[in-house]
Amino acid sequence: MVLHEFEKKIFKFIKDYKIFNKYDRILLGVSGGKDSVCLLNCMAKLSQIYKFEIAVAHLNHGMREEAPDDEEFVRQMCKELKVPFFVERKEVFKYAEENKVGIEVAGRELRYNFFFRKMKELNYDKIATAHHMDDLVETMIYRIIRGTGIYGLAGMVPLEGVLAKPMLCVDLEEIENYVKINNIPYVEDKYNYSLEYSRNKIRYEICPKMKEINPSYQKSFFRLATTVWEYRNEVEKKFEERAHKINDNSYKIKLEKDIFDAEVLRLTFLKFQEYPPNMEETQKVLLMRSGGRRILKGLEVVKDKDFLVITKL
């Protein structure tokens, strides 16, 4: 099996960060755009070496007239590659209106709800998405603008639970070259260019300015991200040391009055699949007197001397 340099790079990234294990059953999120068809074709090739078993999940979001054509395009590509194909049809605009959320949030929630449900139904091990280095940069910038701690700075990680991002090591230019050299067709989504969305403003207005200062700015952000990934590993270790799981709905955390108190507290919220409080709220919790109580994000936080008891309500 002869691998393209691009494929070798992703293969090394998968091994270095232990993203997949041999014989893993992996569900790929494929929209039909250049990023995701790159993921599909690359993983189809790597699966022959690593003995992965792959399948594709495609959400027909109903946002454009071309959505049925996109679905058929991905279906045919999977047929040619002999990869199982699964689809779900949803109305993103309707979901956003009914749940009072933005289009970006609605699309993401519907996608991942579908991916997780299908993964469990088919007994797959991981879900892989086509996020790449440019996506990583945009997420880091977005989080800096919104305000984030060190743990959240990286925004995306190679593997978080069952969510895998094996293409974070390659940038958009490399992806475009790969699909061009290998004559891989793809579809375009006009919403990727709309400046109504925050990420597109970062992509088309902020990032070009950064490129003027440093043509390789993506790689600089990537180096920073790898450092943050190491820090996140340390936070996970501190969580294991300091957090005691009382039951499925409650944790007891030992406070050591150091920088990791805040990180372990915020990580506890993530363990409950709740977005963690901002740094200001986090400090208010840590500075509570013994017996103090706060309700945040549907969780009760009670101070007991040098401990915090966090319970899902």
Side-chain angles (χ1 to χ4, degrees):
M1 171 68 66
V2 178
L3 293 180
H4 185 280
E5 285 304 313
F6 178 90
E7 295 158 346
K8 288 180 182 177
K9 191 172 183 179
I10 292 176
F11 187 51
K12 182 178 185 303
F13 188 65
I14 288 171
K15 290 195 295 182
D16 286 349
Y17 285 93
K18 299 179 176 60
I19 299 174
F20 302 126
N21 300 311
K22 200 170 184 180
Y23 305 115
D24 265 354
R25 305 182 76 228
I26 307 162
L27 190 64
L28 310 178
V30 178
S31 66
K34 67 169 73 75
D35 312 346
S36 62
V37 298
C38 176
L39 172 69
L40 171 55
N41 282 267
C42 190
M43 288 295 290
K45 197 167 180 182
L46 293 181
S47 67
Q48 298 177 49
I49 299 173
Y50 239 117
K51 305 303 178 186
F52 301 136
E53 183 179 335
I54 62 173
V56 162
H58 173 82
L59 180 74
N60 181 333
H61 48 57
M63 292 173 66
R64 299 181 293 113
E65 291 180 7
E66 302 89 347
D69 296 332
D70 295 352
E71 176 187 323
E72 186 58 27
F73 170 80
V74 178
R75 188 192 308 276
Q76 289 304 316
M77 181 170 282
C78 288
K79 187 175 180 181
E80 290 172 17
L81 293 170
K82 297 181 173 58
V83 174
F85 172 79
F86 303 97
V87 65
E88 182 165 274
R89 300 178 184 90
K90 292 288 183 180
E91 295 292 335
V92 172
F93 290 127
K94 184 179 178 182
Y95 180 90
E97 185 179 347
E98 290 176 348
N99 292 275
K100 295 180 174 56
V101 295
I103 299 300
E104 289 177 288
V105 173
R108 184 166 60 247
E109 287 183 0
L110 287 171
R111 272 196 307 277
Y112 283 102
N113 287 346
F114 170 46
F115 294 164
F116 276 101
R117 190 169 63 254
K118 188 56 67 173
M119 181 192 75
K120 292 174 185 176
E121 179 186 319
L122 299 171
N123 198 30
Y124 273 66
D125 302 299
K126 308 264 173 61
I127 295 166
T129 59
H131 293 94
H132 49 77
M133 197 182 294
D134 291 72
D135 293 321
L136 174 64
V137 171
E138 290 159 18
T139 301
M140 293 175 77
I141 294 171
Y142 181 75
R143 291 203 172 184
I144 290 169
I145 292 170
R146 293 288 301 272
T148 185
I150 300 173
Y151 187 91
L153 178 60
M156 296 179 178
V157 293
L159 180 64
E160 187 165 28
V162 298
L163 285 176
K165 296 178 175 63
M167 290 184 12
L168 289 180
C169 61
V170 294
D171 61 34
L172 186 56
E173 185 177 348
E174 291 174 288
I175 290 170
E176 289 171 340
N177 289 337
Y178 180 78
V179 296
K180 184 176 181 180
I181 290 169
N182 292 282
N183 296 312
I184 301 171
Y186 59 87
V187 298
E188 289 279 10
D189 186 343
K190 66 183 180 183
Y191 288 99
N192 288 337
Y193 302 96
S194 172
L195 294 181
E196 291 181 20
Y197 305 115
S198 300
R199 284 186 178 278
N200 287 352
K201 288 180 182 177
I202 293 171
R203 181 177 304 172
Y204 298 116
E205 295 182 348
I206 296 176
C207 289
K209 295 296 182 184
M210 290 190 167
K211 193 165 188 175
E212 290 176 11
I213 299 170
N214 177 8
S216 300
Y217 74 97
Q218 297 103 318
K219 291 178 175 58
S220 298
F221 271 85
F222 182 75
R223 285 195 296 273
L224 173 59
T226 59
T227 302
V228 178
W229 293 342
E230 292 178 18
Y231 177 81
R232 287 171 67 114
N233 288 337
E234 286 304 309
V235 172
E236 291 281 356
K237 290 177 186 175
K238 295 296 182 185
F239 179 85
E240 293 300 320
E241 292 171 8
R242 302 183 185 185
H244 169 66
K245 189 173 184 179
I246 299 172
N247 53 50
D248 289 343
N249 294 314
S250 189
Y251 278 96
K252 188 173 186 178
I253 298 170
K254 178 72 167 70
L255 299 177
E256 299 287 357
K257 296 181 176 60
D258 61 15
I259 188 174
F260 290 109
D261 282 348
E263 297 289 26
V264 171
L265 171 60
R266 288 164 59 82
L267 183 53
T268 307
F269 276 75
L270 292 175
K271 297 293 183 182
F272 282 118
Q273 298 185 328
E274 294 291 344
Y275 196 79
N278 60 33
M279 294 307 293
E280 183 182 354
E281 286 287 352
T282 299
Q283 287 304 314
K284 286 180 181 178
V285 169
L286 295 176
L287 294 173
M288 286 192 304
R289 294 181 179 180
S290 185
R293 176 179 178 270
R294 293 180 74 89
I295 304 293
L296 295 168
K297 315 282 186 178
L299 300 180
E300 177 190 58
V301 185
V302 177
K303 183 82 171 286
D304 179 15
K305 296 180 182 178
D306 290 331
F307 292 90
L308 288 177
V309 178
I310 303 173
T311 305
K312 190 173 183 66
L313 297 176

